[in-house]
Amino acid sequence: DQQVKQNSPSLSVQEGRISILNCDYTNSMFDYFLWYKKYPAEGPTFLISISSIKDKNEDGRFTVFLNKSAKHLSLHIVPSQPGDSAVYFCAASIGNEKLTFGTGTRLTIIP
Amino acid sequence: EAEVAQSPRYKITEKSQAVAFWCDPISGHATLYWYRQILGQGPELLVQFQDESVVDDSQLPKDRFSAERLKGVDSTLKIQPAELGDSAMYLCASSTDTYTGELFFGEGSRLTVL
C-alpha cells in the first residue's frame, strides 16, 4: 500500500516559469511533510518541510503548500532554473517516526 | 562541509554471495539510517539506529540482512546470501538528535546481483 503517492513520474518546465510538483497521501495521521531533491549519482538532499499545523511554508524560490482536507501537498518553484532539474521526492512522517517516501517526480527545466 | 561517507559506490555480485556496505555518518549525529531504493521507487527504511541501538528494523529482511553499529559511530549492512531482487541503491543517512525530518544522505552504494 503506497501511502505517499507522486502520480507524475516526470515534468518538463520552461526556464523562468513555475514548476509545480504534486504529492498525495492516504494516512491522515501524517503530521510532518518534507521534500527532498536528488541529482544523479548523489544521495537525496533536504529541500523544505512543513508541519501539519501550517498550510504554507516558503524558502526563497521554494514554497510548499499543504491541503490537509484533500491530503495533498505541492511544491512550487518560482522561477525555475536549469539547476532545478532533478528528481523530487515528497516524504511524510507521524511525529518523529520513520519517513515514508513517494516514488519521485523527475523535473526537467528546459533552457 | 561534513558528509556521510559510504563504500563501496558500486558492487556487482552473483546471487548467493555475501555483500557488505559501510557507512560513516556525520560526526556527532546519533541517528543513523539504512534505506534501500529500488529503481523507480522511493527510498524505503531498512533499519534505524540511535547510537548503537536499533530503533526500527521492521522492514529489514532478517533472514538474509543484518546491520550493526557497534560503537555508535560507523555502521555495516550485510546481505547473505544475496538474491536477484536485492539489486538496488543502498543509502545511508544520519541526523541529529533533534528531529526535524532532515536526513543527510550519503551518495549510496549501488548493488547489482547477477
Side-chain angles (χ1 to χ4, degrees), chain B residues 9-114:
Chain B
R9 288 293 306 277
Y10 303 94
K11 178 70 177 179
I12 300 174
T13 190
E14 293 185 345
K15 64 179 182 177
S16 80
Q17 296 298 303
V19 180
F21 303 110
W22 176 80
C23 172
D24 191 13
I26 293 173
S27 178
H29 281 192
T31 310
L32 183 147
Y33 312 79
W34 283 102
Y35 279 84
R36 176 172 62 184
Q37 185 182 7
I38 296 171
L39 193 63
Q41 300 182 19
E44 176 191 29
L45 180 68
L46 292 175
V47 61
Q48 176 182 341
F49 290 92
Q50 179 70 27
D51 298 311
E52 65 274 11
S53 301
V54 173
V55 172
D56 185 346
D57 63 357
S58 57
Q59 299 302 309
L60 188 71
K62 298 181 188 62
D63 56 336
R64 298 185 300 107
F65 285 64
S66 64
E68 60 183 17
R69 193 184 184 197
L70 293 177
K71 297 182 180 179
V73 181
D74 59 338
S75 174
T76 302
L77 177 70
K78 296 178 181 178
I79 308 173
Q80 184 174 15
E83 295 181 353
L84 296 177
D86 297 331
S87 294
M89 176 73 81
Y90 290 84
L91 294 161
C92 179
S94 67
S95 68
T96 61
D97 275 346
T98 304
Y99 182 78
T100 63
E102 181 177 359
L103 308 184
F104 295 84
F105 283 88
E107 293 181 321
S109 296
R110 180 167 295 283
L111 172 66
T112 301
V113 182
L114 303 176

